[in-house]
């Protein structure tokens, strides 16, 4: 079998998208492997999930770096390079990146966002889509560039907004689609490298 692309998943919390990627990578024909799960928060639930799945789970705690986000990112970058990581998948990584990491991984860092970008970048996407009377919501996988939730779109999945939906109900249905979309889009992306 040809070498699979080494992917690191960066998380800050629950890690359900990370878990979906780890599961997808268990398929024999998956073109990527999840070689590392890295969190900026020591209490991220996803770290336990990754370790239980037999994936290296590493915390590069942001606390000791204080406000120096670039120094924190340099520590992350060193951990990624030591392990021969080729692609980063951000999955609920809740810290705005500096140009250092964005530039260092240009064209090789993906993110998933729970809206149909360019609509609703940022937080509270589902509540905002419902309040605006949208007929549909969804999720987007895109390449990471300097602007938050900007960058070329690699894939999207659409989810109808039903009468009576609140942000929780909608969020649950979008999340199911996120898990499928991220694995499929990442596979297509790494096949094209
Ligand atoms: C997801 O909704 C993702 O789109 C957004 O943050 C959330 C992370 O959830 N970027 P999880 O940690 O993957 O469960």
């Amino acid at each position: 079998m040809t070498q699979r692309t080494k992917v690191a998943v960066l998380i800050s919390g629950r890690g359900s998208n990370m878990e979906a990627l780890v599961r997808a990578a268990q398929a024999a024909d998956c073109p990527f492997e999840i070689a590392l799960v890295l969190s900026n928060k020591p209490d991220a639930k996803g770290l336990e999930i990754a370790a239980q799945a037999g994936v290296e789970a590493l915390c590069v705690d942001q606390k000791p770096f204080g406000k120096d986000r670039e120094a924190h990112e340099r520590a992350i970058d060193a951990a990624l390079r030591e392990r021969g990581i080729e692609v980063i998948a951000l999955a609920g990584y809740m810290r705005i990146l500096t140009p250092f990491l964005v530039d260092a991984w240009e064209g090789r860092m993906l993110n998933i966002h729970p809206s149909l970008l360019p609509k609703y970048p940022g937080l509270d996407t589902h509540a905002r889509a419902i309040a605006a009377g949208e007929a549909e919501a969804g999720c987007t996988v895109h390449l990471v560039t300097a602007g938050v939730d900007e960058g070329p779109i690699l894939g999207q999945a659409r989810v109808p907004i039903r009468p009576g939906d609140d942000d929780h109900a909608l969020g649950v249905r979008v999340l199911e689609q996120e898990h499928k979309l991220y694995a499929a889009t990442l596979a297509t992306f790494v096949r094209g490298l």
Side-chain angles (χ1 to χ4, degrees), residues 13-150:
R14 165 179 76 173
S16 72
N17 278 287
M18 174 277 297
E19 190 176 4
L21 294 178
V22 167
R23 285 198 198 292
Q26 286 165 350
D29 61 349
C30 184
F32 60 83
E33 67 170 295
I34 305 304
L36 177 68
V37 171
L38 188 153
S39 171
N40 59 325
K41 304 263 184 183
D43 57 353
K45 272 270 176 300
L47 286 174
E48 289 164 35
I49 296 168
Q52 277 164 17
V55 176
E56 184 186 3
L58 178 71
C59 176
V60 180
D61 194 349
Q62 67 185 50
K63 260 221 179 101
F65 298 94
K67 289 192 173 143
D68 192 346
R69 287 187 292 142
E70 183 174 322
H72 177 235
E73 288 178 3
R74 284 186 185 276
I76 290 173
D77 187 61
L80 300 175
R81 306 231 178 242
E82 271 166 28
R83 290 161 179 82
I85 298 298
E86 300 168 275
V87 169
I88 298 176
L90 302 180
Y93 184 74
M94 300 300 285
R95 197 168 207 212
I96 291 175
L97 300 176
T98 77
F100 167 72
L101 205 69
V102 174
D103 292 348
W105 290 85
E106 188 187 359
R108 289 190 169 248
M109 177 156 43
L110 282 62
N111 181 43
I112 186 155
H113 182 75
S115 80
L116 293 172
L117 291 173
K119 285 189 166 180
Y120 309 111
L123 299 175
D124 296 327
T125 55
H126 304 312
R128 285 155 59 210
I130 291 168
E134 299 279 2
E136 59 178 9
C139 47
T140 303
V141 174
H142 64 97
L143 280 171
V144 175
T145 54
V148 174
D149 300 328
E150 294 178 8

Side-chain angles (χ1 to χ4, degrees), residues 16-17 19-21 24 32 112 139 141 156-157 173-188:
S16 72
N17 278 287
E19 190 176 4
L21 294 178
F32 60 83
I112 186 155
C139 47
V141 174
Q156 287 189 313
R173 295 205 315 281
V174 171
L175 193 62
E176 280 172 27
Q177 296 306 315
E178 289 185 43
H179 297 161
K180 292 180 196 162
L181 178 74
Y182 213 172
T185 309
L186 181 59
T188 303

